[in-house]
């Protein structure tokens, strides 16, 4: 336990960890001190000056972001002197700010806007007409990379983005050029801001200076609905918010989790929602008739499925997917076991490139739930070799396969083995080579449309939430389809939701021992056997 | 340069002679004896104590006691210690360090060597302003001479002490005269002053303990070592010991360099030494310590002495002792505009109040000077100053706000006149030349 010191902020006596700054101590205790340049994931710059507070006995105001707490300090955040200094910083910033909030993408989540609303109610001394007279000090817009634009005249020079590129990515693309009021953020010649974490600077920009081209003019932020989820791009399991408008995903932004992704996500994950707009979404149940897949009714497809699975007489296998939740995979296992089968396999995931930054890492394994899928099946390793052999030798005649694996095509052997099956039920969201082999095909929800859990590469079990409803059609989570099939097969599977599924899984598999859907919470929980965190921060 | 040196004391005693910049000349005047004394007879701690006892205060502007500053270095640290000599003399109205660099570089080198010995530095950097091209070359040459004679380099004077001195040229930014901006610049970065703490004595250049001293401060050190703290304390006032090299500019008959004991009366300096203001004009104001200190009106200078305490008592600062004299041909709004433009141009742009405030002040002063201001602008100006003062990382914000605040306060009538008359009311004479007899 760190040593504690006692300080008084605005008359409240607080016991705080020694070594903390006044700003951290205040924020930890719910005392709001405005701050622009301070960001918990970056070094202290102390340049915006808005977090100044009054410490009794000190001759000058102190910037609270750089002032370490001293035992016995009496601090005021609302004194006349502090309020005047705070309002003056806002006034200074606004003197040279275009005030184009009406067309600014950041409007609604702009710190300058919010703080001015809270602390900046003073007469406008830089009157509008004189402001219009001001020469344009810096050019208005500039392209920093294929992903990011800068509105340089909105910049408040907090240097967060510069520090991010120096400290988190270590790539150092951004810098200030020029001096004083003419200073502006720019990239070095021939070195655009293209690193794979670059768009984080848009999130940390306190104003609308740095903007994500993908989100530009897409939606006013106050219309966005935000829900907690997990990025499915790689096995790092970065915590994200999925933000949608009218059931359409508009933006994915990082959700802070000190054990996983700190405050950041990579651009590959951030922008991967593009495939939501693909036009090959599977919307209806389909069934193979005279060689091709034809849409059909749910009743029809269920007749075929139940008949075929019964006919296989226990020679049924389950094929899991690291793109699907633990619950979906576990549901496959439950159904296979109900049918008297025991053969389970998880297809191999795509191993791409990992990318290491000073304070972030993009995982090589491009699947969000590799560990979870295996654990749900009670398996140790990925691969379908055994399964293919059994199909080839006729020991397996039917299979239930999860899809959503967009990165990995079927291997030659898988393609030929699966083609030999008498019956292949595939649950998938988009057309894939696996779906093309199906005898029966059911439309599945994708990760943004369902509840469940993913386990990241460090063994952290994390929940994702339904952020949008599945596109028009009949798509639902895979486990729901599997439960319906189980019911149609007159199983006695007691199941109301993903929480029951997870709890049943936790009872069966040691890896999840002691966990429940509730205890995982918003920030996740580590598997007992695999404690560890991805980031040190 | 030599012809503008009017008054000398021990520091500048010999600089009026031709050839004073050579090693031979310097040795002929007893140069490098203090270094020999320090290395052979004194322990580093004794050198520091002597300087501390002498009461020598920083000549860069803030007046912090030099020996005390040296004492802030961590004891028994495992990191190397660096000495940086601040020769980035760029405060408007200040041209004293230039004299040492041009005419007496060996005094600076000897002082650098003694100071390095005292603080345990084996590398010293002389950070010289970018515009001083010739001076940098002369300094390099002097360093070579000193090195060849064994006053620098390995095993100095056979005493086992090593020291390398490097000249580092700035690129022309005023802000790099601020010690942490200087350190950043020396490290090859943008000259952004650092957030303090930590102070350079703990974390300075390359993350190591560092002492930054002004050229004139360092030049005092050999004399203190040679003649003793007691002798030094006999000069000047009780708390501002020694002499000060005043650079007088503006509307006096004999502008130039005056080395006088601390505590000389402003009126004495102006009348007795500088010959008073030009005939036909009367004194309007005096800026005693470089452009960034508050101005004194002509009626305020009576009895004000040029030492740290008297200046502070008079509501201004001794600063860099660059005395700027203004007669009644000067418009204070115009003077303020000139200054504000300088600071707006030189603000590094880190801190909000300084970056935006300096720029805003330029706009307001500009419209006031051109008769387009409003009466509210005057209070606005004063309030902007208040909003900048003591609210920035480094003192550049203060340097910009202090003079403007004082101009508004002390010459308010003149500001109001600009608004009421809708024009500048002062018949300006900008044809200042150095008088021929100088």
């Amino acid at each position: 336990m760190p040593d504690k010191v006692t300080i008084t902020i605005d008359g409240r006596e607080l016991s705080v960890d020694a070594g903390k700054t006044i700003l951290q101590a205040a924020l930890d205790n719910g005392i709001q001190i405005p701050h622009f340049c301070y960001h918990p994931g970056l070094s202290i710059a102390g340049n915006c000056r808005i977090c100044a507070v009054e410490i009794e006995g000190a001759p000058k105001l102190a910037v609270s972001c750089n002032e370490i707490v001293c035992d016995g300090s009496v601090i005021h955040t609302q004194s006349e002197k502090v309020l005047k200094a705070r309002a003056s910083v806002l006034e200074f910033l606004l003197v040279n700010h275009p005030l184009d909030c009406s067309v600014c993408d950041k409007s609604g989540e702009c710190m300058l806007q919010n703080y001015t609303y809270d602390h900046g109610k003073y007469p406008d001394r830089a009157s509008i007409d004189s402001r219009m007279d001001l020469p344009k000090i810096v050019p208005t817009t500039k392209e920093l990379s294929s992903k990011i634009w800068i509105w340089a005249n909105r910049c408040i020079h907090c240097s967060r983005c510069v520090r991010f590129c120096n400290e988190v990515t270590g790539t150092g693309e951004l810098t200030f050029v020029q001096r004083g009021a003419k200073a502006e953020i720019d990239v070095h010649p021939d070195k655009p801001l293209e690193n794979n974490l670059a768009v984080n600077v848009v999130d940390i920009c306190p104003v609308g200076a740095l903007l994500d081209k993908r989100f530009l003019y897409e939606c006013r932020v106050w219309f966005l609905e935000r829900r907690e989820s997990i990025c499915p791009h790689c096995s790092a399991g970065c915590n994200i918010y999925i933000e949608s408008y009218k059931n359409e995903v508009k933006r994915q932004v990082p959700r802070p989790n000190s054990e996983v992704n700190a405050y950041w996500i990579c651009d590959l994950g951030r922008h991967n929602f593009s495939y939501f707009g693909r036009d090959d979404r599977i919307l209806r149940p389909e069934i193979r008739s005279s060689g091709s897949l034809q849409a059909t009714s749910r009743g029809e497809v269920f007749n075929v499925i139940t008949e075929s699975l019964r006919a296989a007489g226990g020679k049924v296998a389950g094929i899991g997917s690291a793109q699907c939740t633990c619950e979906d995979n576990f549901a496959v296992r439950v159904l296979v076991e109900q049918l008297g089968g025991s053969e389970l396999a998880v297809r191999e995931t795509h191993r791409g490139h990992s990318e290491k930054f000073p304070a972030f890492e993009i995982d090589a394994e491009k699947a969000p739930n590799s560990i979870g899928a295996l654990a749900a099946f009670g398996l140790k390793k990925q691969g379908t070799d055994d399964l293919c052999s059994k199909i080839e030798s006729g020991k397996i005649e039917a299979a239930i396969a999860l899809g959503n694996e967009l990165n990995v095509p079927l291997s030659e052997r898988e393609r030929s083995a699966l083609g030999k099956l008498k019956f292949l039920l595939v649950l998938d969201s988009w057309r894939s080579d696996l779906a093309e082999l199906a005898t029966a095909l059911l439309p599945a929800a994708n990760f943004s449309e369902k509840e469940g859990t993913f386990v990241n590469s460090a063994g952290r079990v994390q929940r994702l939430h339904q952020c949008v409803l599945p596109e028009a059609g009949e798509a639902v989570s895979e486990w729901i389809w599997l439960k319906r099939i189980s019911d149609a097969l007159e199983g006695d599977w007691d199941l109301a939701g993903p929480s029951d599924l997870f709890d049943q899984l936790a009872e069966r598999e040691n890896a999840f021992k002691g966990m429940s859907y509730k205890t995982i919470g918003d920030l996740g929980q580590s598997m007992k056997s695999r404690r560890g965190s991805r980031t040190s921060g | 340069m030599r012809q503008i040196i009017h008054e000398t004391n021990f520091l500048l005693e010999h600089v009026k002679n031709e050839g004073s910049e050579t090693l031979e000349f310097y040795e002929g005047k007893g140069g490098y004896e203090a270094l020999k004394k320090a290395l052979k007879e004194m322990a580093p701690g004794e050198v520091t104590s002597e300087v501390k006892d002498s009461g020598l205060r920083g000549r860069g502007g803030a007046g912090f006691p030099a020996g005390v500053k040296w004492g802030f270095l961590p004891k028994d640290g495992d990191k190397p210690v660096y000495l940086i000599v601040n020769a980035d003399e760029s405060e408007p109205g200040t041209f004293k360090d230039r004299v040492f660099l041009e005419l007496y570089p060996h005094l600076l080198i000897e002082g650098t060597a003694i100071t390095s010995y005292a603080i345990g530095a084996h590398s010293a950097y002389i950070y010289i302003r970018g515009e001083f091209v010739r001076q940098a070359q002369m300094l390099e040459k002097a360093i070579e001479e000193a090195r060849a004679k064994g006053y620098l380099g390995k095993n100095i004077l056979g005493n086992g002490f090593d020291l390398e001195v490097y000249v580092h040229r700035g690129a022309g930014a005023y802000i790099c005269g601020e010690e942490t901006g200087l350190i950043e610049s020396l490290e090859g970065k943008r000259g952004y002053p650092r957030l303090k703490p930590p102070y350079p004595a703990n974390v300075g250049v390359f993350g190591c303990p560092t002492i930054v001293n002004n050229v004139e401060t360092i030049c005092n050190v050999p004399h203190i070592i040679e003649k003793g703290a007691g002798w030094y304390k006999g000069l000047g006032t009780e708390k501002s010991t020694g002499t000060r090299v005043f650079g007088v500019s503006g509307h006096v008959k004999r502008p130039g360099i005056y080395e006088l004991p601390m505590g000389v009366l402003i009126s004495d300096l102006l009348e007795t030494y500088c010959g008073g203001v030009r005939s036909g004009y009367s004194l309007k104001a005096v800026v005693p310590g470089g452009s960034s200190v508050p101005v004194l009106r002509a009626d305020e200078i009576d009895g004000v002495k040029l030492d740290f305490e008297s200046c502070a008592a008079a509501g201004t600062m001794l600063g860099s002792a660059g005395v700027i004299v203004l007669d009644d041909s000067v418009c204070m709004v115009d003077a303020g505009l000139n200054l504000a433009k300088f600071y707006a141009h030189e603000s590094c742009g880190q801190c909000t109040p300084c970056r935006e405030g300096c720029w805003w002040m330029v706009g307001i002063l500009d419209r006031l000077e051109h008769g387009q201001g409003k009466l509210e602008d005057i209070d606005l100006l004063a309030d902007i100053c208040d909003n900048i003062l003591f609210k920035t990382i480094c003192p550049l914000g203060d340097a910009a706000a202090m003079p403007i605040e004082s101009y508004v306060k002390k010459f308010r009538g003149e500001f109001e006149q600009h608004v009421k008359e809708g024009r500048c009311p002062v018949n300006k004479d900008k044809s200042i030349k150095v008088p021929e007899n100088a």
Side-chain angles (χ1 to χ4, degrees), chain B residues 170-221:
Chain B
Y174 173 71
I175 194 61
C176 294
E178 195 277 343
E179 61 179 6
T180 55
L182 185 157
I183 289 171
E184 288 281 300
S185 169
L186 189 60
E187 289 179 356
K189 304 175 191 155
R190 272 174 80 84
Y192 271 170
R194 291 179 182 171
L195 207 51
K196 284 148 273 202
Y199 290 90
N202 285 306
V203 183
V205 71
F206 313 127
C208 297
T210 303
I211 292 295
V212 185
N213 279 142
N214 174 259
V215 168
E216 189 188 342
T217 316
I218 295 285
C219 286
N220 273 285
V221 173

Side-chain angles (χ1 to χ4, degrees), chain B residues 44 85 98 115 154 162 198 200 226 240 269 339 359 377 382 398-399:
Chain B
V85 180
R98 184 173 169 174
T115 307
K154 292 255 178 262
D162 303 336
E226 197 187 330
S240 301
L269 177 67
L339 266 190
W359 176 87
D377 283 342
D398 306 341

Side-chain angles (χ1 to χ4, degrees), chain A residues 44-49 60 66 84-85 88 91-93 95-96 125-126 134 137 156-157 176 178-181, chain B residues 173 190 192 195 197 345-353 355-357 359-360 380 383 386-387 390-393:
Chain A
I44 302 292
N47 59 32
C48 76
R49 316 306 283 177
K60 301 197 249 183
N66 192 46
K84 180 172 190 283
S88 80
E91 185 181 36
F92 280 135
L93 291 173
V95 168
N96 194 15
R125 302 192 292 185
L134 303 177
I137 292 199
I156 61 164
H157 305 235
F176 278 107
Q178 300 288 352
R179 230 169 29 201
Chain B
R190 272 174 80 84
Y192 271 170
L195 207 51
H345 180 66
E346 296 296 345
S347 168
C348 79
Q350 264 195 110
C351 305
T352 308
R355 178 184 69 240
E356 307 291 345
W359 176 87
W360 195 5
L380 175 57
D383 195 50
D386 183 54
N387 288 337
F390 314 121
K391 294 182 183 68
T392 50
I393 290 174

Side-chain angles (χ1 to χ4, degrees), chain B residues 190-359:
Chain B
R190 272 174 80 84
Y192 271 170
R194 291 179 182 171
L195 207 51
K196 284 148 273 202
Y199 290 90
N202 285 306
V203 183
V205 71
F206 313 127
C208 297
T210 303
I211 292 295
V212 185
N213 279 142
N214 174 259
V215 168
E216 189 188 342
T217 316
I218 295 285
C219 286
N220 273 285
V221 173
H223 291 282
I224 292 169
I225 296 309
E226 197 187 330
K227 299 170 199 145
W231 160 81
Y232 194 83
K233 278 194 285 194
L235 293 157
T237 69
E238 191 196 337
K239 286 184 176 163
S240 301
T241 54
T243 60
R244 198 72 213 257
V245 179
F246 295 99
V248 185
S249 61
H251 301 142
V252 285
K253 285 189 181 142
R254 288 207 310 159
I257 293 287
Y258 295 83
E259 186 195 355
L260 295 166
M262 288 266 205
V264 63
L265 285 164
I266 295 183
S267 51
D268 249 11
L269 177 67
L270 297 191
E271 295 303 323
T272 317
Y273 294 101
C274 300
V277 296
R278 302 178 295 168
S279 45
Y281 294 91
S282 54
L283 182 68
K284 185 169 193 172
V286 178
V287 178
S291 65
S292 55
V293 307
V295 70
L296 291 175
R297 255 189 342 240
D299 61 357
E300 292 176 313
I301 63 167
D302 264 359
V304 178
K305 290 177 186 166
L306 289 166
D307 61 69
F308 291 108
E309 286 69 35
S310 303
C311 284
T316 182
M317 289 162 71
L318 182 58
S320 62
V323 182
I324 304 169
V325 184
L326 311 175
D327 71 17
D328 55 2
S329 70
V330 175
C331 163
M332 294 310 285
V333 180
D334 192 27
L337 174 60
N338 185 333
L339 266 190
K341 278 183 181 163
F342 173 80
Y343 288 108
H345 180 66
E346 296 296 345
S347 168
C348 79
Q350 264 195 110
C351 305
T352 308
C354 172
R355 178 184 69 240
E356 307 291 345
C358 290
W359 176 87

Side-chain angles (χ1 to χ4, degrees), chain B residues 141-162:
Chain B
K141 195 172 155 227
I143 289 170
E144 271 317 301
E145 282 180 328
R147 208 169 186 284
K149 267 289 186 89
Y151 296 128
L152 295 176
K154 292 255 178 262
N155 192 17
I156 295 172
L157 301 171
N159 213 61
F161 177 66
D162 303 336

